[in-house]
Amino acid sequence: MTSIKTTGFTGDTLEIIAFRLHDQEFCVKTTTIREIRGWAPSTPIPHSPPDVIGVMNLRGTVIPIIDLAHKLGMKSTEANERSAIVVAEVHNMVVGLVVDRVSDILTIRGEQIQPVPEVTTSFDKVYAEGIIAHENGMICFLNLARMFKERDMEDMAA
């Protein structure tokens, strides 16, 4: 008899925001999102980590802009007028995540989130909370707190 792993969300209802990076669908909890902005160029920072595109001014606060595709081990996003910046709060720091486009805001049941299969994938599986089988395809549920460790956030703020 095979045991089925659960993701720990059973019984909960979650609101998620889904977005595209290249041809893949990803999502995060809406509780981590502050706002969604249209694409605007950022100011590059010399010697910044490869996934940090630069910084931008968000109502008087300078925030780092992250190439989320690069952070996930994918080819960097070529930002254009359809791109969006998902502004999120992670470990009490605000960051902008560049995505190809925002797809939807969905309410899902916890039992819809399945564990990431034990296979080699194009991104570090520790970043993924699980996989959601949705009517329009599979959505990878990202965990921003694990993706951006507190130490990394401190380094970005420095």
Side-chain angles (χ1 to χ4, degrees):
M1 189 154 115
T2 327
S3 68
I4 296 177
K5 291 183 186 176
T6 62
T7 56
F9 291 108
T10 309
D12 294 342
T13 300
L14 298 168
E15 280 203 347
I16 58 170
I17 182 165
F19 51 85
R20 292 193 76 75
L21 289 171
H22 302 297
D23 291 329
Q24 293 183 339
E25 198 82 16
F26 295 89
C27 70
V28 294
K29 286 190 253 183
T30 57
T31 54
T32 61
I33 304 304
R34 284 226 176 147
E35 66 182 270
I36 299 164
R37 300 179 56 92
W39 167 249
S42 59
T43 303
I45 301 294
H47 304 290
S48 62
D51 56 323
V52 177
I53 297 171
V55 294
M56 78 180 320
N57 183 340
L58 182 66
R59 288 184 293 289
T61 302
V62 176
I63 65 168
I65 303 300
I66 308 298
D67 180 348
L68 189 56
H70 188 275
K71 180 84 174 169
L72 293 171
M74 303 166 76
K75 185 175 70 120
S76 287
T77 298
E78 293 292 328
N80 59 49
E81 67 279 347
R82 293 195 63 192
S83 299
I85 298 174
V86 176
V87 180
E89 186 169 337
V90 188
H91 302 300
N92 298 313
M93 185 174 167
V94 179
V95 295
L97 308 171
V98 177
V99 302
D100 291 340
R101 66 182 168 88
V102 173
S103 312
D104 213 345
I105 295 176
L106 305 165
T107 301
I108 59 160
R109 293 181 326 279
E111 53 269 9
Q112 288 178 269
I113 304 170
Q114 300 174 27
V116 178
E118 295 290 330
V119 295
T120 304
T121 58
S122 63
F123 60 94
D124 189 345
K125 166 171 119 161
V126 74
Y127 294 166
E129 195 74 59
I131 301 290
I132 301 164
H134 189 258
E135 61 196 36
N136 299 329
M138 305 293 257
I139 305 172
C140 181
F141 184 30
L142 298 175
N143 182 317
L144 295 179
R146 286 198 309 243
M147 186 180 300
F148 297 99
K149 295 177 177 55
E150 278 190 82
R151 171 103 184 132
D152 296 341
M153 301 305 281
E154 289 166 9
D155 290 347
M156 273 193 259

